[in-house]
Amino acid sequence: MRKIVQIVFICLLLLGTTTMVMAQTTTASDPDMSLKETIYKKYKKEVQAYDKKTFDALFFEFFQKQSDSKLTLSKEEYYNYTIKIAIYSEKLGLLYKDQKEESLKSKKEWFDKAYADYLKSKH
C-alpha cells in the first residue's frame, strides 16, 4: 500500500512539474509579429481586391523608397509594404492552384522581413 501511495505521489509531482514547464510562455522570435498581424488583418481584404496594375505600382513604390538613400521608412510604413506584398502573394496562390506552394513560400519570405535588417541596409 505504501508503494502505491509513493508512486501516486511521484506521478502527481511529475505531472505538476511538467504542467508548469509547459505553461511557461516562450519569447517570440519576432518582436514585431503583433504589428505584422495587425497590418495583415487591416489590409487583407483591400489587397486581395488589387489588380496586377495596382500591385505592380505598390511593388515599384516600395523598391523606390527602399533604395532611396535619403529616405528611411518608419517601421509601420516598411511593414505596410512588406505585409501587403505578402498578402498579394497569398492571393496568387489562391488564384493559381499550381503555384500555391511557391506563393506560400513567397508570402512567408515577405512576412519574415525584419525592420532591423532594413535599417542595417540603410547604414
Side-chain angles (χ1 to χ4, degrees):
M1 181 71 164
R2 187 170 186 192
K3 288 260 187 204
I4 294 174
V5 171
Q6 287 176 341
I7 291 173
V8 169
F9 177 74
I10 290 172
C11 288
L12 289 174
L13 184 65
L14 287 174
L15 178 65
T17 305
T18 306
T19 304
M20 285 190 288
V21 169
M22 297 296 233
Q24 290 180 353
T25 57
T26 57
T27 56
S29 60
D30 186 354
D32 297 329
M33 188 54 75
S34 63
L35 175 60
K36 290 177 181 180
E37 289 173 352
T38 301
I39 292 170
Y40 179 83
K41 289 175 186 172
K42 180 178 180 181
Y43 291 108
K44 185 175 180 180
K45 289 186 186 224
E46 177 185 324
V47 174
Q48 286 182 339
Y50 282 5
D51 60 4
K52 182 153 176 45
K53 184 178 178 182
T54 306
F55 173 74
D56 287 346
L58 171 80
F59 198 75
F60 181 69
E61 180 182 342
F62 172 65
F63 278 101
Q64 255 186 333
K65 287 185 177 184
Q66 187 178 17
S67 63
D68 186 348
S69 60
K70 296 175 185 163
L71 175 69
T72 302
L73 296 170
S74 70
K75 185 184 280 191
E76 190 167 332
E77 289 173 323
Y78 178 78
Y79 286 136
N80 277 340
Y81 284 111
T82 59
I83 299 303
K84 284 179 179 181
I85 293 169
I87 294 168
Y88 194 80
S89 296
E90 179 182 46
K91 173 188 173 177
L92 291 178
L94 296 172
L95 291 174
Y96 305 104
K97 301 294 183 191
D98 61 325
Q99 297 178 5
K100 185 175 185 173
E101 191 173 311
E102 289 176 37
S103 67
L104 290 177
K105 182 179 174 185
S106 178
K107 175 190 174 189
K108 182 177 178 354
E109 287 174 9
W110 282 102
F111 214 91
D112 289 346
K113 295 222 181 259
Y115 185 69
D117 293 338
Y118 164 71
L119 290 178
K120 286 177 190 175
S121 73
K122 291 302 243 179
H123 294 99

